[in-house]
Amino acid sequence: MQTFQRRRALLAAAAGTAVALAFVAGPARAQDSYPSKPIRIVVPYPTGGFNDTLGRLVATKLSIAWKQPVIVDNKPGGGTVIGTQAAATAPADGYTLLVVQFPFAANPWLYKSLPYDSAKAFAPVVLAGRSPMLIVSHAAGPLRTLGDVLAAAKAKPGALNYGSSGAGSSNHLAMALFESVSGTRMTQVPYKGSTPLLTDLAGGQVDLAVDLLPHALPFIQSGKVRPLAIASTKRSPLMPELPTAAEAGLPGYEVTSWHGFVVPAGTPQPVIDKLNRELNTIFAMEDVKKVFAQQGVVPDGGTPAAFKSFIDAQMALWKKVVQDGRITAE
């Protein structure tokens, strides 16, 4: 009887060890066999623009490195909601990546409801890069420095107007943050995109705007739009003579356009780590850095944990801006 009980105990212990080993080996096998089929990169934007360029650049490099097809799936619309929802409902196996940008952190506060929970539906992979925004004015107007803007806005609250790409857009919220940091109030003039906005700014129909350097650069080079400051803690290598907002008189004002990759929540951590390592390698390539620089984007990289902290901070920032300004998406 004792022999039987001892044998049963030994068998139970062996079974438990096997289960434990299988549990440990499972993630390793997931990593070792990944990828074994085509990968899809969802870009919630139309073709053209940096987010699309980023998706296609990474797709090309990944397919070369991993010898698997990598497909870019553009799903624009709904302020990125359509594409983001498509990725949120995809299997959590590492074969669907989503390109994310500013709206990923702002949309939860701009919309009354979303068909997904940004904070819970996705797992961060890596921050690809960041591009600071510029404060610009009509070149022939009286606003020649950031100090001029601050003085005019404080002297006559609401008299100055600024263009945006629409209610809830990145440059709208960037200006709302400007008002919050500076203690000023101005009037928003919404447009349907940066090009018509900057065209009117160049023509003097609006006083100023905050926009991305690549968007504003052609208008600056034409001499019709004047750059006042860069909303960053450091000057841009593309415009080293342009002061930061702090240097120009507005400390604490920093706003960047950022780009990164996430996967559906529940994706095995070894798969996320493998993606993270490969994407960091891609962002360090000289030809990739050249493409980034042409778009005014500084390559970033880092760990999934660092990207999660960054997203959390962005969500907290834009939650406050949206709620304080009572802003809603169009």
Side-chain angles (χ1 to χ4, degrees), residues 157-317:
L160 285 183
N161 59 45
Y162 66 88
S164 80
S165 296
S169 63
S170 59
N171 45 20
H172 177 205
L173 295 191
M175 190 56 80
L177 179 62
F178 181 98
E179 292 175 304
S180 175
V181 172
S182 63
T184 58
R185 180 169 58 83
M186 292 173 275
T187 301
Q188 180 201 185
V189 180
Y191 290 83
K192 293 188 179 297
S194 287
T195 299
L197 151 63
L198 291 167
T199 299
D200 266 14
L201 179 65
Q205 277 72 47
V206 289
D207 298 315
L208 70 157
V210 177
D211 214 325
L212 294 174
L213 192 155
H215 294 168
L217 192 57
F219 295 88
I220 293 170
Q221 292 171 335
S222 73
K224 295 181 179 180
V225 167
R226 174 182 287 110
L228 304 180
I230 188 166
S232 171
T233 56
K234 296 180 180 179
R235 296 192 179 197
S236 168
L238 294 180
M239 299 185 71
E241 74 287 354
L242 186 66
T244 65
E247 291 171 333
L250 188 59
Y253 183 63
E254 181 183 1
V255 57
T256 60
S257 173
W258 52 272
H259 315 267
F261 289 87
V262 298
V263 290
T267 299
Q269 191 61 44
V271 170
I272 293 175
D273 292 340
K274 188 170 185 176
L275 276 167
N276 175 268
R277 286 193 298 271
E278 194 61 47
L279 291 176
N280 273 301
T281 298
I282 290 171
F283 301 149
M285 295 177 178
E286 290 303 320
D287 59 332
V288 173
K289 289 194 286 187
K290 183 177 180 180
V291 173
F292 276 44
Q294 290 170 344
Q295 297 291 321
V297 180
V298 179
D300 212 301
T303 65
F307 190 26
K308 182 181 185 307
S309 296
F310 177 84
I311 291 173
D312 289 346
Q314 286 286 296
M315 284 190 169
L317 170 64

Side-chain angles (χ1 to χ4, degrees), residues 115-181:
Y116 52 83
D117 184 330
S118 299
K120 296 179 180 179
F122 296 96
V125 176
V126 68
L127 176 63
R130 286 179 266 196
S131 177
M133 302 184 84
L134 301 182
I135 306 163
V136 292
S137 67
H138 173 48
L143 305 176
R144 305 183 66 83
T145 67
L146 188 59
D148 292 339
V149 174
L150 295 172
K154 290 178 179 178
K156 294 183 178 180
L160 285 183
N161 59 45
Y162 66 88
S164 80
S165 296
S169 63
S170 59
N171 45 20
H172 177 205
L173 295 191
M175 190 56 80
L177 179 62
F178 181 98
E179 292 175 304
S180 175
V181 172

Side-chain angles (χ1 to χ4, degrees), residues 16-82:
T17 302
V19 170
L21 289 173
F23 179 79
V24 172
R29 283 198 298 270
Q31 181 181 14
D32 292 342
S33 63
Y34 174 85
S36 59
K37 61 181 183 180
I39 295 171
R40 178 177 64 143
I41 298 177
V42 177
V43 179
Y45 297 89
T47 56
F50 183 74
N51 292 294
D52 181 57
T53 298
L54 175 63
R56 294 181 187 281
L57 190 60
V58 167
T60 299
K61 296 295 186 180
L62 272 182
S63 65
I64 293 171
W66 287 354
K67 309 242 179 336
Q68 287 288 347
V70 182
I71 303 157
V72 174
D73 185 7
N74 294 88
K75 288 187 175 297
T80 74
V81 173
I82 292 173

